[in-house]
Amino acid sequence: MNATHPDDSPTAAPVAEAPPTHVAGDAHQPDPRTDALADVLTSWEPRAEHLQVLRTEYLAYLAGGGTADRDASPQHLTASTFVLSPDLRHVLLCYHRKGRFWVQLGGHVEPGDRSVAAAASREAHEESGLTGLELTGLVPVDLDRHSLGDGFGRCAVHWDVGYVAFAPADSVPVVSDESDDVAWWPVDALPVEVPEQFVGRLTRVLAELSIGL
């Protein structure tokens, strides 16, 4: 893969900047999901400096009333799952209908999700149609804060939390109502239509799994 160095990959919100001011709900209520995520992030020790900085910013966001409820604020947590083949040579991507790009599986945290990790798992099942997908753990492998365009409605900034699940590369995914297509791609031959920051994200994910590109 012609990837940038993980710490130099472009993101919509550069880590050198302070986190954007978030807009919490008018009556912020304690949320065990955000509390649990803060506990996990506190003990997480990512390898990449980029992720170390973002981890600090996410903890500040959560401590300041950051939310997993998309109705509470235009800025909110989201959950992703990087579905990889066991040999880490292929990644399952969906073609995002609103964004018009190929991207990892994921979406918003719903009221019925008991945790951000549970939301990532649910979205992976819904968007891939694959049964038996299991996250590798409750500890994330990637963080990515990015701003959104007008096509995403009220959502302004997503504080995305990325996890990993494994599936055989010959698994046959099923297209969901939210995607135009779902397909396996070699990690060293990704489609052209991926978000600007995606190559860097995938590079970091594989690095966190102790595999270099």
Side-chain angles (χ1 to χ4, degrees):
M1 179 186 295
N2 294 325
T4 55
H5 186 278
D7 293 343
D8 296 332
S9 61
T11 61
V15 296
E17 299 177 359
T21 302
H22 68 275
V23 181
D26 292 335
H28 176 71
Q29 299 295 323
D31 187 340
R33 300 173 301 181
T34 56
D35 292 342
L37 179 61
D39 289 342
V40 169
L41 292 181
T42 298
S43 60
W44 181 39
E45 297 181 357
R47 292 176 174 86
E49 182 179 355
H50 176 96
L51 293 178
Q52 294 169 15
V53 174
L54 276 176
R55 170 186 167 276
T56 299
E57 294 179 357
Y58 270 59
L59 286 171
Y61 170 70
L62 293 170
T67 181
D69 182 1
R70 62 177 162 177
D71 294 326
S73 170
Q75 298 193 43
H76 42 261
L77 296 168
T78 55
S80 288
T81 301
F82 289 84
V83 179
L84 298 162
S85 60
D87 60 7
L88 302 183
R89 294 183 178 180
H90 291 80
V91 60
L92 187 64
L93 303 180
C94 66
Y95 193 74
H96 196 282
R97 182 164 294 162
K98 288 183 179 179
R100 312 310 298 171
F101 46 58
W102 290 93
V103 72
Q104 78 279 354
L105 310 179
H108 287 103
V109 180
E110 301 295 345
D113 294 322
R114 65 183 183 278
S115 66
V116 177
S121 179
R122 174 186 53 75
E123 287 284 348
H125 283 91
E126 291 178 355
E127 295 187 341
S128 71
L130 299 181
T131 59
L133 279 179
E134 297 290 341
L135 300 184
T136 57
L138 300 180
V139 178
V141 293
D142 190 58
L143 302 172
D144 186 72
R145 185 186 66 241
H146 49 271
S147 300
L148 302 167
D150 294 339
F152 288 82
R154 185 171 180 269
C155 298
V157 177
H158 281 169
W159 295 72
D160 195 51
V161 184
Y163 301 84
V164 162
F166 292 113
D170 58 1
S171 302
V172 180
V174 178
V175 178
S176 74
D177 293 338
E178 298 181 6
S179 305
D180 285 344
D181 200 2
V182 183
W184 288 99
W185 293 88
V187 297
D188 58 356
L190 295 173
V192 174
E193 304 93 344
V194 294
E196 183 182 21
Q197 74 272 22
F198 180 78
V199 172
R201 288 198 75 180
L202 182 58
T203 302
R204 288 192 298 274
V205 167
L206 295 177
E208 289 299 307
L209 295 172
S210 301
I211 299 295
L213 291 177

